[in-house]
Amino acid sequence: MKVAIIGVGTTKFGEHWDKSLRELAIEAGTNAIIDAKVRGSEIDSIYLGNMSAGRFIGQEHVAALVSGELGLSIPAVRVEGACASGGIALRQGILSILSGQDDIVLAGGAEKMTDLMTDGATTALMGAASQEWEAYYGLTFPSLYAMIARRHMFEFGTTREQIAKVAVKNHHNGSLNPIAQFNKEITVEEVLNSTMVADPLTLLDCSPITDGAAALILCKAELAKKYTDNPVYIIGSGQASDTLALHDRRSLTTLDATVKAAQVAYKQAGINVDDIDLAEVHDCFTIAEIVATEDLGFCKKGEGGKLLDEGATELTGRIPVNTSGGLKAVGHPVGATGVKQAIEIVLQLRGEADKRQVKDAKIGLTHNVGGSGATAVVHIFSR
Amino acid sequence: MGYESSVPLFWRLIKPRYQLIGNKCTTCGNTFYPPKFLCPICRKEGKLEEIKLGKTGKILTFSIVRSAPTGFEKETPYPVAIIELDDGPRLTSQIVDWKEEDLQIGRKVEACFRRIYTDGKEGIINYGLKFRPI
């Protein structure tokens, strides 16, 4: 592929009671523009991942809001695929460059979630599931993923402790990440004993409600060296869909959209799974990371729990997963998450991940999911 | 939903919401609930016919909601499940009239007509199907 990332920028992720969506988006975008050493006037298009500003803050038309604030009159497009909005915004930015239309693109994501109370935010997030046939009956996202967890435990013997280990690992990584919402280490016992949200998942199995924004500056690969000595190249991009409702899927323990998106991305990159040095996967709930590591091929189906027992996905393991702290510890401002995942991989491949640095990282992968698996986006990056 | 909605939204869903009415594609033989508007397997070669499904099925997986969305706050804790009907299709709903031992994968259940939630203070009372152990 012929697209490079030449700049990255984020806000801190967390509860930004003093900042609006507008302020968060501008802060991340400006940081990315400065990092890329481009002038604002060189940007050809903006793609902004945002799931539900209409529900969260009553504001639609947010891409034009951001371009207007940046003083740019270029095309600005909001991209929505629930929690995968950020990953899709990145993909749309890539396609925009590959089409020949644009040379330099700002691909970002932003979400302002804490202006609603918890039940309002829970309701807004359910817009990512089937409104008529899941949300109508009082389902919540924790309960949808809890049903995946229950079935995974039933089919493969995955234990409650193995599931909790995802949160423990990701909180450890988050403790090393300055932008993370949570910088505190936790134990398996704390996960198991925290408030039950949707059996068998507890509060510490769930990613939090977060405000935040993240942005990438993409450019045509042959222009990259003009701006930076350290470009990161996108070598594979795959996206796939499945039914909105979990109950309509072929399997309750495999996300077919992930499998398909990964196949496309691996093929495009001309690599196989063993070539991946590290990955950021969509751990909106602990069980989701276990399912993702299986569906991406890091282990056999049903052995995601064992992978955690072996420590294979820790910072020093065979295939470090969620070195940033993941959605679990960094936080999950839904539209920004997919972009933040790419930023972590860029920092790792540039050798700028500080205490989280994976030694000799050359190829990284991001995996971003919308809803309970109706959308999946996989990207592969190389130095 | 959270907002007060207009009546047609509920009216057009009367058949599948209040009864287990789905459809069947006579080309591939697959049965769907809720009814499809296009057979996702045969697409333009498909031919859909309305059918009434039996009300019994079994629990494939379940959870108990303890942190509820708007409109369901007073109901917690309430169990939810994915149910496979004996006639084939799978759906999501709540389990009612339950005891702890009823919540297990494989448990037989049947549909029953219940109130689901009230749409705001003066809004419509929404009804539909929940499932009880048999």
Side-chain angles (χ1 to χ4, degrees), chain B residues 21-92:
Chain B
I21 290 181
N23 53 19
K24 183 176 181 156
C25 174
T26 52
T27 310
C28 66
N30 279 287
T31 307
F32 306 105
Y33 176 86
K36 298 280 186 196
F37 301 100
L38 174 78
C39 172
I41 295 143
C42 309
R43 286 185 285 271
K44 76 171 187 283
E45 282 82 27
K47 196 170 175 298
L48 294 167
E49 277 179 7
E50 191 173 286
I51 58 158
K52 189 159 182 354
L53 300 158
K55 65 178 183 176
T56 55
K58 63 174 192 222
I59 294 176
L60 287 185
T61 184
F62 64 93
S63 178
I64 303 173
V65 176
R66 294 174 193 272
S67 179
T70 310
F72 292 86
E73 302 90 337
K74 289 180 188 162
E75 311 285 329
T76 57
Y78 55 89
V80 293
I82 292 180
I83 293 145
E84 185 170 77
L85 296 175
D86 293 336
D87 284 335
R90 296 173 176 186
L91 54 82
T92 299

Side-chain angles (χ1 to χ4, degrees), chain A residues 4-70:
Chain A
I5 297 173
I6 55 171
V8 300
T10 63
T11 62
K12 185 170 165 37
F13 280 22
E15 297 192 1
H16 287 292
W17 295 353
D18 54 339
K19 290 181 184 176
S20 62
L21 178 82
R22 191 164 60 98
E23 186 172 352
L24 293 166
I26 296 307
E27 185 182 327
T30 308
N31 287 343
I33 290 168
I34 292 168
D35 185 49
K37 299 182 190 72
V38 295
R39 290 193 305 278
S41 58
E42 292 178 276
I43 297 170
D44 296 314
S45 297
I46 294 174
Y47 291 90
L48 179 70
N50 174 265
M51 175 187 162
S52 199
R55 294 297 290 266
F56 285 121
I57 59 170
Q59 177 70 63
E60 310 290 6
H61 213 172
V62 288
L65 173 74
V66 171
S67 63
E69 291 289 320
L70 287 168

